[in-house]
Amino acid sequence: IVLEGELTETSFSIDRVSSFSVNTLSLWGQDNFSDTFLDSSKISDSNNIVAGQGQIVLATDTQGYLASGSLASIPVNPASITEWEEFSFSDSESQSTDIKYQLFFASSTDWLIIPESDLAGNASGFDAGPVNLSTLATSTYSQLKIKGNLFSNSTSSSPVLSDWQILWRTSGATPIP
């Protein structure tokens, strides 16, 4: 066992035909779901948005950008999850535009918004990230979906969503250099 700031001495005997290898591993692994919106393959539902070429924007009509739109990710269903870590995103918003993010979980029959009691701020939507998810019980929240709600007060501008991701810890150890 190697502990930071600790010295552990040991001796090894190696003869001429032996080899010696040291591998360091973390106590857990890390995995993620991410979408950079190069296409719509990781979007399960959308309304009044245009996806592709690395961004999400509001759809347009003959007068310009629509006032609102939304999209939802495909289900995030991690294998070997031990703990949710965080949700993060990259977007750009002008003064007349906004994007709010919400997280949903799979019930036995439907997707429900994660209640405020378990994820404060989720009902109104997150505007700044990253969002700490470590308090979410993996037994209750084994699958998640991300929803983005886009708004514009101007037909000449749209918010732009560039990417989003969810990180979690797994039970598999990860090599450390």
Side-chain angles (χ1 to χ4, degrees):
I1 295 175
V2 177
L3 301 172
E4 187 174 348
E6 298 284 327
L7 176 64
T8 304
E9 292 185 27
T10 190
S11 298
F12 297 96
S13 295
I14 301 175
D15 64 22
R16 293 176 193 235
V17 295
S18 295
S19 63
F20 181 73
S21 176
V22 175
N23 298 312
T24 55
L25 303 171
S26 71
L27 297 176
W28 62 84
Q30 189 179 55
D31 205 352
N32 73 82
F33 164 84
S34 64
D35 194 355
T36 56
F37 308 112
L38 296 175
D39 56 38
S40 58
S41 63
K42 295 181 181 178
I43 298 173
S44 66
D45 300 309
S46 65
N47 181 39
N48 295 336
I49 58 107
V50 176
Q53 300 180 4
Q55 63 183 18
I56 299 292
V57 295
L58 286 168
T60 58
D61 63 12
T62 57
Q63 299 179 351
Y65 289 106
L66 299 175
S68 64
S70 64
L71 73 152
S73 71
I74 59 173
V76 178
N77 187 10
S80 306
I81 185 172
T82 59
E83 180 183 347
W84 292 106
E85 284 191 346
E86 69 179 28
F87 162 60
S88 60
F89 50 86
S90 297
D91 64 23
S92 61
E93 305 166 350
S94 68
Q95 200 166 11
S96 62
T97 67
D98 195 16
I99 306 177
K100 298 285 187 186
Y101 303 92
Q102 296 173 305
L103 295 168
F104 289 73
F105 73 102
S107 72
S108 58
T109 59
D110 205 2
W111 287 93
L112 304 173
I113 190 165
I114 297 174
E116 286 285 309
S117 57
D118 290 337
L119 190 59
N122 197 39
S124 59
F126 299 104
D127 203 26
V131 177
N132 182 359
L133 303 178
S134 64
T135 59
L136 297 179
T138 57
S139 56
T140 305
Y141 305 110
S142 60
Q143 294 183 61
L144 300 180
K145 266 191 181 183
I146 309 165
K147 182 177 182 186
N149 301 295
L150 290 75
F151 305 98
S152 180
N153 293 328
S154 170
T155 57
S156 63
S157 62
S158 171
V160 177
L161 172 58
S162 302
D163 65 70
W164 58 20
Q165 71 174 347
I166 294 179
L167 301 173
W168 61 87
R169 288 186 181 182
T170 66
S171 57
T174 303
I176 301 172

